[in-house]
Amino acid sequence: MRPEVRAKAAGILGALKKIEAEQHRPAAGLRSSTFTEAEFNAYVVCRLDAENEPFVKAAEFKLLADDRIEGRITIDLGDRQTSGLLPKRQDLLFSAGIETRDGKIKISMDKLFLGTLPIAPAVVDVIIGILSRLQGVEPTRLEDWYDLPPGVRRLESRPGQVVVYY
């Protein structure tokens, strides 16, 4: 990972460590921190690197108003066998809404493309299932709720920004 990417993500990484450390401390109310789209995308790169994600090679998001996002996720299956169901390397492009509450997030896909081909969100569930089986983990679905980082209660997207509530 390039040092400038880690430096750009440092604000979010530091804030999340602080939020996790203070999550059980009583607070007067909900607090928030705001980060730029560039900081958020750098954080995503750091997370992919830290988790040594075998299939997701790149991810970039555009943060929009009203909890809306657009993005591109590059998947590379390498030389794994997928019975011809999936190309070895492909971009998933999407437009979605996010819903967060009680420390969890759910993504609702509006538009989804595999390369230039429009696909139904149910196809992503199939892709997730294939990748999960290749990794030997329990498959999930897009409509599932996923945990936010420890101590984070919810997120809000604004044009070019993400607001983290804790």
Side-chain angles (χ1 to χ4, degrees):
M1 175 180 317
R2 297 186 329 252
E4 59 269 18
V5 172
R6 185 163 298 285
K8 195 173 282 186
I12 292 179
L13 293 168
L16 290 176
K17 282 182 185 176
K18 181 180 174 189
I19 291 167
E20 182 176 7
E22 296 178 355
Q23 69 180 324
H24 299 296
R25 193 170 96 190
L30 201 58
R31 296 173 288 171
S32 68
S33 294
T34 302
F35 301 97
T36 67
E37 183 174 277
E39 290 171 306
F40 179 75
N41 281 307
Y43 166 74
V44 169
V45 170
C46 289
R47 285 288 306 267
L48 289 173
D49 183 63
E51 293 176 9
N52 200 20
E53 172 57 49
F55 303 114
V56 178
K57 299 304 177 188
E60 187 172 356
F61 301 94
K62 182 174 176 96
L63 304 172
L64 307 170
D66 302 321
D67 296 331
R68 309 276 321 140
I69 59 172
E70 293 177 351
R72 177 184 56 83
I73 297 174
T74 302
I75 297 171
D76 188 345
L77 301 176
D79 46 350
R80 290 187 169 73
Q81 294 293 79
T82 60
S83 305
L85 294 174
L86 296 173
K88 298 295 182 191
R89 185 175 177 98
Q90 193 62 254
D91 285 337
L92 284 173
L93 306 167
F94 65 89
S95 172
I98 61 169
E99 182 181 351
T100 61
R101 66 173 179 249
D102 301 327
K104 296 192 178 286
I105 186 169
K106 181 178 177 180
I107 300 168
S108 301
M109 291 287 175
D110 296 323
K111 295 181 183 176
L112 185 61
F113 296 86
L114 184 62
T116 58
L117 179 66
I119 59 173
V123 174
V124 173
D125 285 338
V126 171
I127 293 169
I128 291 170
I130 291 169
L131 296 177
S132 297
R133 285 179 191 85
L134 288 172
Q135 289 181 300
V137 297
E138 186 70 27
T140 58
R141 298 181 324 206
L142 275 177
E143 64 190 39
D144 290 345
W145 285 89
Y146 297 91
D147 290 331
L148 291 169
V152 174
R153 304 308 303 151
R154 67 182 184 90
L155 302 175
E156 177 183 311
S157 74
R158 297 177 182 166
Q161 298 180 322
V162 62
V163 183
V164 177
Y165 292 92
Y166 54 98

